[in-house]
């Protein structure tokens, strides 16, 4: 198991390096001049040129890239041109928000999607399957910003049972930083009321984000359960008298999960990219908003670091998925 | 069909059972008034080529036919109970795994790869531990399983429980499955081609083991196979099926030494091992969607007569000893000398 | 508006229909405790800057924190706004306009309790001049760090390299920072830039709650007890919670619901009616000096032809744009200066939408050999729909007179990059003439001086010695009447030459909850004075 | 022995090497085929039997270079198969044809039977156009399929029919030797008998030589003239079918023979006792691979792999029970 983790971590390095090259090239291909934007409208060309030189932007691209790599290798992810803060600090504030949202969405998608898919598979072609099919197709087809606004209108404005936006209401103090996940941090701080408060804020954005993923997971689980049901061992389990309920929910489902779990790892990428829209709509102070404003002002260091961070999150989640898979399927564990 | 007076009630009897599966192309009559009997302590070989209905019959006995299957006619008695009268839940609760043990065809695929052997086998104990067992606890099940593992010659039986199916060889897996079948003290073992996927030397070992266990535990065994060689080694009785119909049944000696049904005879002659001249059967097994009328073998039968297509399928006992029954126009002639189940 | 409302009501009705039978008894999700926490505070939904450093950024949102966390030597007051002394109690200028002596108000305390002195003023000006971005670039052409000296505990002398008339209008840009605190937080000669980006070192009416600032996202401020200017209302706002909302739709929902007390000031015209009708809300109109204009590349064929440029000026449908797109929320601005500002010729007619005139000038341009058949490109800004709408209107009008125009899109950083070189600069693009300092020089001087070439301000690539001379002279003289004459003359000349297509002076609109009283828009950007506000109920 | 062999295999070897594990990979060598030698005479059916994992299929594929062997030589009528290139290789590929166990996976599902049969003729320049089609029709007739089959696709046929198509395809290029890799083991007995009879018929009519790979002693006994028995990558015994299967010399060959069920109720009453299981080819026992299961194992069996001896004319065996100098122990 440790070997597996080590190997996956080792594999991560070239992947992240590739990601860095890609993002570096992409950000520089666009003819945007961070120096001019930074200097402000009052600056003269000479002043802009001076800033450009200070930032090293007048160097050839490959020199800039090597410099950047050296900088990253020494653990320095640079400073934002605007906030003057180390990018790491910005990330430390914003990444947990995105992770909390993505995790909650993932949890939701798994907890809803898997049973939904399993039920659809067991009641294949029945009315429940049809309803679930409509839901899953709908879940994939609905644009998330539209969904977000609808949820806000209904649950926050009309029914007034869920907060409109934000991680907490204005004036509610953030919890002491432990994990960065508010719900958990409030709990660890022993404040049950605020943990609940943060949890309610999490509902609408995570539902919005989870919807398409729930649909995907449900579809995957459905086809995977249907496939598993054809297996010889299911016939055996039936023939030796396993109760149907035990067979389905314990044995068949576990086998089907193997494929679904892989999917969950891939879906996490969807959560991260989807969070850009969802964070904007729900005023969720995560990476999406940060990345967006950094891109529009050509603030390269945050762009690079954020992309890298997202890459790392994605890779780590997929390593975790592999571990879970190894837990579910002993054959996987042995292959490593 | 009446029972011959002296014969003891068989452990399992299937009479005139038909199974129809509704497919998109129409109803497929995969079993057509098939009959079978397994007496106490008998090892009955159920022989036929693929598509002859052996597996369907096994599924019908175990009550695990697919949902789109129906049984429009026939009777199935097991230990005197009418199996057709039991619903799915009752079958799962009282028959499968408890009174009837099952050994599947491919030991490589029959166990769930994600759970240890112990978990899977004790699940059977959990739901089917015999009522008369002194201790029905999980620990008792475990102890019994370890005993059984020892009995079927699985090395390190205690550790074996914690292992996953893929950590066993093919032969060992089949031994595990045999132990599973025996776990809750069944009276009948249904083995569905349990050695087809194995190498010959392994097959030989499994057959020896089965014969031994059947003797020691006084079990009845329904042994499904396509191989007359295996039948001749293991079984006491044989039932031959073709295209969903029972064509011939009797003691091994009677059927193998002097097959009366043209299909049985042809099938025996197909074995290259017989050293005799090899003779194939022209044509192939018909589709159950559009089977020939009457005796389903008649289009391929070298001795077919005009009446074969019209003749209703019916197993008729032949006179003499050992008991021998035939589903053929040739057997119809002697008249009702003694009908056999 | 129609579509949005339709969506809203139909969806709400549908969802309510679905949920009504179930009912939601006891589904009390909102936390009374949590909700109560911010009720006495002002929940400000205006945009936040990415930094609290008042020197490094100078834009609309940064004015909010600069004005309320810091004090400056001068502030804007009156209508139209004029620079008035604030920390300076007395100002003496030499006759040549190069030397200015300021007396600093005594007894002003920074938030840490220390007194504001001449040293702090000198430090602040030197810091501002040293940093390459933000406010500094506006001062550096006429001022060196050595030119700022303390002449006493409460007196400062500033020596300019040459007389610079907009100097006093620029003073409200420079926040005075607490030198001692700043130096204590300086790392690697960074002028405490990293520290002050998230903290304050000011003497203003409000101070930052430590650790509450998150760039673009949130900031908590507290009123400063015993602020030297005092508090106009008996129950001023003690606590200000800044919670900007990024998303358009959510922003309106949030202010309607009362989650925030105010939006930013860019409420779109199609949303005005909704805000006016919403209970508990009011729509505040904030007059703006900001101009909107199309920049035309005067250095490139065919725009280097005066008749072609006039054809462009006659082709733009000004009234249609203002009435239809902006729904009448702006006034036509015929020249380079805001119409309400001195220096704008009151009688200036400018251009009107007149396709016949446009055709005549196009013919003249063609006869003069201009390449009028070339497809010209309008570069619209991504994220600013208005620029695209202007482009589309111009495109369809030009098509009528036979000029083909393509619409390209660029993000702001991208467009700025393009304008730095004459070859890459767009044929036409558009931007706003924002208010940095309130002086005609901020618009006409910055946009049409030769010194602006190579920046987005000079993206007309206009090179005219006579205009340049007038603008330089207006900058150098302290005689207001003379300056006014020069700016009027320059304005007329620019209009005659149809250098750019000047369109409007805007109006900003902000949704504010009724409970917020005393609200008065700031003169520059979001620089309202929070001291004047109180909450009702 | 009078005629020169059509195919001679000498010391053929194929090892599979795998590296497994991280960060300390372990190299595992599977000796799938370990120095095997045999020869097939013209028109002869030579059987290669053994249980799964013994290397018989690998050997068949290696001598055709479907898998490149590691060492050894294969000569077809004196020509080096392993060294052949270009045109020579193409000719060899024509003369040596293979028939697979599962004809369905070796037939392209999107091509008609006519295309399947005509293409190899064209590739080898034997016939084209109407001529090729006529030959295809004749081939189908030869394997017992109607000419109407030409325009149909593989999925329209039963397993037995597909195997006939696979045989027709092999015959299309007029080979001299057919390597049949378990050609009937996927078929039902009645179909299996039909196909076996067809193969026998073809062998006689076309004077074909066969390398017949099978796990079924009954089939081999019926079809082949000579047989080699493999165990864990090595040939343990070779000789005429009747001799080897009637009176096996090698203890493993005897176990294999005894384990093969024969449908004769009178033949055997008791089931034979067999020890142990086939070990992994990745980690075979030292010495004679069979010694841990062998009822007659000698101390020497643990030490060294026995040399191949010829205890009787035409019979070769690799077993310490038959030392080279002592021929008397045979009978």
């Amino acid at each position: 198991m440790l070997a597996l983790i080590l190997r996956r971590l080792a594999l991560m390095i070239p992947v992240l390096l590739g990601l860095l090259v890609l993002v570096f090239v992409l950000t520089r291909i666009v003819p945007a001049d961070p120096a001019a934007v930074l200097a402000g409208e009052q600056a003269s060309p000479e002043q802009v040129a001076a800033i450009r030189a200070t930032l090293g932007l007048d160097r050839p691209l490959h020199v800039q890239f090597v410099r950047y790599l050296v900088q990253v290798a020494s653990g320095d992810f640079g400073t934002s041109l605007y906030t003057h803060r180390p990018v790491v600090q910005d990330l430390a504030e914003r990444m947990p928000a995105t992770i909390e949202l993505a995790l909650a969405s993932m949890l939701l998608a798994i907890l809803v999607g898997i049973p939904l898919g399993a039920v659809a598979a067991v009641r294949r072609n029945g009315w429940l399957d049809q309803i679930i099919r409509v839901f899953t197709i709908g879940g994939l087809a609905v644009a998330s910003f539209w969904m977000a606004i609808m949820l806000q209108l209904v649950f926050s404005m009309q029914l007034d049972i869920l907060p409109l936006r934000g991680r907490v209401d204005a004036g509610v103090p953030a919890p002491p930083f432990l994990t960065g996940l508010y719900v958990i941090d409030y709990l660890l701080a022993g404040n049950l009321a605020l943990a609940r408060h943060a949890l309610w804020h999490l509902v609408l954005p995570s539902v919005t984000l989870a919807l398409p993923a729930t649909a995907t997971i449900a579809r995957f689980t459905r086809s995977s359960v249907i496939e598993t049901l054809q297996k010889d061992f299911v016939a055996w389990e039936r023939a030796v008298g396993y109760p149907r309920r035990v067979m389905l929910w314990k044995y068949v489902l576990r086998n089907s999960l193997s494929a679904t779990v892989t999917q969950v790892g891939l879906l996490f990428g969807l959560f991260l990219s989807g969070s850009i829209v969802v964070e904007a709509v729900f005023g969720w102070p995560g990476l999406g908003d940060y990345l967006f404003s950094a891109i529009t002002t050509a603030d390269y260091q945050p762009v690079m670091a954020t992309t890298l961070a997202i890459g790392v999150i994605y890779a780590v989640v997929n390593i975790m998925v592999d571990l879970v898979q190894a837990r579910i399927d002993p054959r996987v564990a042995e292959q490593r | 069909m009446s029972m011959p007076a002296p014969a003891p009630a068989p452990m399992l009897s299937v009479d005139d059972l038909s199974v129809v599966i509704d497919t998109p192309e129409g109803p497929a009559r995969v079993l057509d008034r098939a009959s079978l009997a397994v007496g106490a302590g008998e090892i009955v070989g159920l022989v036929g080529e693929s598509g002859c209905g052996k597996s369907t019959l096994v599924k019908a006995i175990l009550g695990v036919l697919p949902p789109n299957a129906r049984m429009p006619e026939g009777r199935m008695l097991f230990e005197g109970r009418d199996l057709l009268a039991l619903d799915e839940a009752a079958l799962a609760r009282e028959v499968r795994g408890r009174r009837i043990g099952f050994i599947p065809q491919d030991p490589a695929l029959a166990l769930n790869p994600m759970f240890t052997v112990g978990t899977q086998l004790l699940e059977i104990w959990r739901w089917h531990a015999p009522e008369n067992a002194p201790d029905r606890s999980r620990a008792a099940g475990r102890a019994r399983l370890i005993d059984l593992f020892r009995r079927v010659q699985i090395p390190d039986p205690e550790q074996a429980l914690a292992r996953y199916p893929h950590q066993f060889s093919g032969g060992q897996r089949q031994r595990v499955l045999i132990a599973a079948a025996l776990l809750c003290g069944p009276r009948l073992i249904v083995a569905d081609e349990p050695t087809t996927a194995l190498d010959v030397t392994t097959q030989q070992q499994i057959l020896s083991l089965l014969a031994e266990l059947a003797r020691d535990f006084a079990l009845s065994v329904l042994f499904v196979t396509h191989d007359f060689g295996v039948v001749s080694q293991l079984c006491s009785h044989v039932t031959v099926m073709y295209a969903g119909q029972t064509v011939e049944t009797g003691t091994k000696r009677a059927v193998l030494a002097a097959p009366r049904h043209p299909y049985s005879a042809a099938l025996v002659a197909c074995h290259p091992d017989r050293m005799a001249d090899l003779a194939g059967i022209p044509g192939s097994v018909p589709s159950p969607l559009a089977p020939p009328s009457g005796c389903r073998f008649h289009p391929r039968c070298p001795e077919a007569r005009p009446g074969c297509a019209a003749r209703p399928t019916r197993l008729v006992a032949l006179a003499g000893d050992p008991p021998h029954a035939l589903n053929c126009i040739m057997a119809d002639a002697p008249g009702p000398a003694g009908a056999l189940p | 508006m129609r579509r949005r409302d339709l969506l809203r009501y139909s969806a709400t009705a549908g969802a309510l229909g679905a949920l009504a039978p179930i009912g939601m008894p006891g589904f009390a999700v909102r936390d009374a405790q949590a909700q109560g926490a911010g009720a006495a505070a002002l929940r400000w939904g205006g945009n936040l800057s990415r930094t609290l450093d008042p020197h490094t950024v100078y834009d609309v949102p940064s004015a909010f924190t600069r004005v309320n966390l810091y004090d400056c030597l001068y502030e804007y007051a009156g209508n139209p706004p004029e620079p008035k002394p604030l920390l300076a109690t007395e100002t003496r200028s030499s006759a040549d306009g190069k030397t200015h002596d300021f007396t600093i108000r005594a007894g002003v305390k920074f938030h840490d309790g220390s007194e504001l002195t001449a040293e702090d003023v000198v430090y602040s000006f030197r810091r501002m001049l040293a940093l390459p971005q933000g406010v500094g670039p506006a001062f550096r052409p006429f001022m060196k760090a050595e030119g700022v000296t303390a002449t006493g505990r409460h007196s400062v002398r500033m020596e300019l390299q040459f007389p610079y008339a907009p100097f006093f209008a620029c003073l409200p840009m420079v926040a005075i920072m607490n030198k001692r605190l700043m130096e204590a937080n300086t790392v690697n000669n960074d002028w405490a830039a990293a520290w002050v980006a998230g903290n304050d070192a000011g003497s203003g009416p409000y101070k930052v709650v430590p650790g509450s600032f998150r760039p673009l996202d949130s900031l908590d401020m507290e009123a400063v007890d015993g602020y030297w200017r005092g508090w106009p209302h008996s129950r001023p706002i003690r606590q200000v919670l800044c919670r900007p909302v990024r998303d358009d739709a959510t922003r309106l929902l949030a202010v309607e619901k009362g989650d925030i007390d105010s939006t930013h000031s860019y409420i779109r015209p199609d949303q005005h009616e909704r805000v006016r009708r919403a209970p508990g809300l009011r729509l505040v109109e904030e007059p703006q000096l900001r101009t909107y204009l199309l920049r035309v590349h005067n250095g490139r064929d065919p725009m280097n032809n005066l008749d072609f440029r006039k054809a462009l000026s006659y082709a733009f449908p000004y009234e249609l744009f203002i009435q239809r797109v902006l729904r009448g929320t702006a006034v036509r601005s015929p020249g380079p200066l805001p119409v309400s500002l001195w220096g704008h010729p009151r009688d200036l007619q400018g251009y009107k939408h007149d396709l016949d005139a446009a055709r005549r000038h196009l013919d003249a341009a063609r006869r003069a050999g201009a390449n009028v058949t070339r497809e010209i490109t309008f570069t619209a800004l991504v994220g600013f729909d208005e620029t695209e709408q202007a482009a589309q209107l111009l495109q369809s009008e030009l098509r009528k007179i036979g000029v083909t125009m393509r619409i390209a899109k660029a993000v702001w950083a991208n467009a700025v990059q393009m304008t730095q070189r004459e070859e890459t600069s767009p044929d036409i693009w558009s931007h706003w003439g924002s208010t940095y300092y309130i002086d005609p020089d901020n618009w006409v001087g910055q946009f049409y001086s030769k010194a602006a070439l190579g920046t987005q301000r000079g993206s007309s690539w206009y090179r005219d010695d006579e205009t340049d001379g007038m603008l330089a002279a207006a900058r150098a003289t302290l005689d207001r009447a003379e300056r006014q004459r020069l700016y009027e003359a320059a304005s007329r000349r620019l209009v005659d030459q149809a250098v750019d297509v000047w369109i409007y002076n805007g109006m900003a609109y902000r949704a504010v909850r009724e409970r917020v009283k005393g609200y008065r828009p700031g003169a520059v950007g979001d620089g309202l004075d929070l001291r004047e506000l109180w909450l009702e109920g | 022995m009078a005629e020169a062999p059509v195919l001679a295999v000498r010391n053929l070897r194929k090892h599979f090497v795998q590296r497994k594990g991280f960060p300390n990979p372990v190299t595992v060598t599977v000796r799938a085929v370990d120095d095997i030698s045999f020869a097939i005479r013209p028109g002869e059916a030579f059987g290669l039997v053994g249980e799964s994992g013994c290397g018989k299929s690998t050997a068949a594929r290696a001598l055709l270079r479907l898998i490149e062997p590691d060492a050894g030589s294969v000569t077809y009528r004196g020509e080096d198969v392993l060294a052949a290139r270009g045109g020579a290789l193409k000719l060899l590929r024509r003369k040596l044809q293979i028939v697979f166990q599962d004809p369905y996976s070796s037939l392209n599902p999107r091509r008609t039977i006519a295309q399947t049969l005509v293409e190899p003729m064209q590739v080898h320049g034997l016939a084209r156009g109407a001529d090729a089609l006529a030959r295809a029709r004749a081939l189908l007739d030869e394997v017992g399929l109607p000419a109407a089959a030409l325009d149909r696709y593989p999925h329209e046929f039963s397993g037995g029919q597909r195997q006939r198509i696979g045989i027709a395809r092999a015959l299309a290029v007029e080979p001299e030797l057919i390597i049949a890799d378990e050609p009937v083991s996927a078929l039902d007995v009645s179909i299996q008998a039909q196909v076996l009879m067809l193969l026998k018929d073809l062998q006689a009519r076309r004077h074909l030589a066969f390398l017949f790979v099978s796990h079924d002693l009954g089939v081999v006994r019926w079809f082949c003239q000579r047989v080699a028995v493999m165990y864990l990558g090595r040939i343990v015994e070779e000789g005429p079918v009747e001799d080897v299967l009637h009176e096996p010399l090698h203890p493993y060959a005897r176990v294999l023979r005894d384990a093969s069920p024969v449908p004769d109720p009178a033949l055997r009453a008791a089931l034979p006792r067999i020890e142990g299981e086939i070990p992994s080819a990745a980690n075979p026992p030292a010495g004679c691979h069979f010694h841990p299961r062998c009822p007659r194992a000698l101390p020497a069996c643990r030490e060294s792999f026995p040399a191949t001896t010829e205890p009787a004319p035409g019979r070769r065996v690799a077993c310490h029970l038959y030392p080279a100098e002592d021929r008397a122990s045979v009978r």
Side-chain angles (χ1 to χ4, degrees), chain C residues 395-414:
Chain C
Q395 183 184 46
S396 82
E397 294 305 299
L398 286 180
R399 192 180 294 132
K400 291 177 191 162
I401 62 169
V403 174
T404 53
M405 189 187 94
R406 189 173 71 88
I407 300 175
K409 286 189 194 173
V411 298
W412 173 248
N414 193 339

Side-chain angles (χ1 to χ4, degrees), chain C residues 133-431:
Chain C
Q133 74 228 52
V135 180
F139 283 83
R140 277 151 75 170
F142 59 87
M143 203 168 171
K144 289 251 181 295
E146 314 81 86
V148 188
T149 47
T151 50
R153 182 167 167 80
H154 290 290
S155 52
V156 173
R157 166 167 292 182
M158 299 195 194
E159 286 174 283
L160 312 188
Q161 292 173 282
F162 44 83
Y164 189 73
F167 174 59
F168 288 100
C170 288
L171 287 177
M173 295 169 78
V174 186
I176 305 305
M177 300 174 114
N178 184 337
K179 180 188 178 192
R180 196 191 50 78
L181 195 55
M182 291 296 282
E183 286 184 339
N185 287 293
T186 297
V187 183
N188 299 331
N189 295 322
D190 73 340
W191 292 95
W195 179 80
V196 86
N199 296 280
D200 81 75
S203 59
Y206 286 87
K207 62 184 178 187
V208 171
V209 173
S212 69
F213 177 66
R214 283 206 304 241
L216 303 167
D217 180 51
S218 68
L219 170 70
D220 296 355
M221 300 194 297
E222 275 171 1
V224 173
D225 288 329
Y227 176 61
W228 65 274
R229 292 161 85 183
W231 300 86
H233 194 263
S234 57
R235 281 178 33 246
I237 292 167
R238 306 286 315 162
Q239 196 184 14
V240 179
L241 308 171
C242 305
R243 297 291 184 273
V245 186
R246 303 293 283 172
D247 184 68
D248 270 0
T250 311
R251 184 182 304 114
L252 277 191
L253 294 178
V255 75
E256 279 173 11
K257 192 176 162 80
D259 276 7
I260 51 175
D261 287 311
S262 140
T263 64
H264 65 24
S265 60
Y266 304 111
I267 296 295
R268 295 202 316 263
D270 63 351
Q271 297 169 329
H272 290 176
E273 201 44 42
R274 176 172 160 196
V275 173
R276 285 200 186 95
R277 278 198 318 237
L281 274 190
R282 93 194 120 100
L283 187 70
V284 177
E285 208 176 71
E286 309 186 358
Q288 298 275 297
L289 292 172
R290 196 159 56 106
T291 58
Y292 178 67
L293 67 164
L294 308 186
R295 304 307 301 265
V296 179
H297 194 315
N298 283 232
R300 189 181 291 157
D301 191 18
M303 290 83 66
N304 55 7
N305 179 290
L306 173 61
D307 279 305
F308 187 82
R309 294 199 301 274
K310 283 191 171 167
L312 288 179
S313 289
Y314 280 118
F316 192 84
Y318 304 94
E319 283 309 304
L320 188 69
F321 184 71
I322 290 170
Q323 295 310 324
R324 190 73 59 77
V325 176
L326 303 175
R327 295 175 195 250
T329 60
V331 292
R332 171 88 176 94
S333 140
L337 282 170
V339 289
S340 61
L341 192 69
W342 59 274
H344 170 70
R346 302 285 146 199
D347 58 342
L348 185 64
Q349 286 304 308
Y351 296 91
K352 291 208 158 29
H353 180 228
D354 181 348
L355 285 185
D356 291 334
R359 274 193 202 93
R360 279 197 307 277
H361 285 288
L362 189 65
D363 289 342
R366 190 179 292 115
R367 282 194 302 273
N371 184 10
V372 299
T373 54
R374 179 170 84 80
E375 182 188 65
I376 57 175
T377 304
F378 188 121
T379 304
L381 295 172
V382 174
F384 299 91
D385 293 348
E386 201 178 310
T387 65
E388 204 172 321
Q389 286 160 326
Q392 282 162 356
L393 284 177
L394 181 60
Q395 183 184 46
S396 82
E397 294 305 299
L398 286 180
R399 192 180 294 132
K400 291 177 191 162
I401 62 169
V403 174
T404 53
M405 189 187 94
R406 189 173 71 88
I407 300 175
K409 286 189 194 173
V411 298
W412 173 248
N414 193 339
V416 165
Q417 161 87 345
M418 291 166 78
T419 59
Q420 288 174 40
R421 285 171 46 228
E422 187 166 1
E423 306 84 72
T424 57
S425 203
D427 288 344
I428 301 178
W429 73 300
S430 69
H431 65 158

Side-chain angles (χ1 to χ4, degrees), chain B residues 49-50 169 171-172 199-201 203-205 207-208 211 227-230 232-233 256 267 270-276 278-283 300, chain D residues 51-52 188-194 196-197 218-219 221-222 242 255-256 258-265 268 271-278 293:
Chain B
E49 296 177 273
S50 44
S169 70
Q172 281 181 343
D199 273 316
V200 274
T201 54
Q203 162 172 291
Q204 202 53 249
Q205 292 169 329
L207 293 179
S208 305
D227 187 340
F228 272 118
V230 170
S232 86
Q233 285 184 325
L256 253 66
L267 201 58
C270 280
H271 270 269
D273 241 319
R274 299 270 290 182
M275 304 291 291
L278 192 60
I281 307 172
R300 300 174 78 187
Chain D
E51 297 179 274
S52 53
D188 266 319
V189 277
S190 67
I191 312 297
Q192 172 180 319
Q194 293 168 9
L196 280 175
M197 290 193 298
V219 170
R221 184 201 309 250
W222 188 83
E242 281 312 313
V255 163
L256 191 63
D258 290 349
S260 301
V262 176
D264 185 342
R268 252 178 276 130
L271 290 157
R273 183 122 203 119
I274 298 165
E275 291 296 326
E277 296 188 338
I278 307 174
R293 305 174 70 193

Side-chain angles (χ1 to χ4, degrees), chain C residues 80-154:
Chain C
E82 296 278 349
K84 298 278 157 58
L86 179 60
L87 285 175
T89 50
E90 195 185 346
T91 306
R92 288 180 308 277
S93 302
S94 64
D96 63 1
K98 283 168 74 173
T99 307
H100 305 275
D101 283 303
F102 299 92
T103 306
I104 310 296
R105 185 179 303 275
V108 174
K109 293 278 198 326
F110 281 117
H111 297 154
D112 68 350
S114 58
E115 194 188 358
L116 188 154
T117 68
E119 287 300 321
D120 297 303
V121 176
V122 172
Y123 173 85
S124 299
F125 271 80
R126 289 186 172 172
R127 178 178 191 271
M128 176 273 289
L129 286 164
L131 295 174
Q133 74 228 52
V135 180
F139 283 83
R140 277 151 75 170
F142 59 87
M143 203 168 171
K144 289 251 181 295
E146 314 81 86
V148 188
T149 47
T151 50
R153 182 167 167 80
H154 290 290

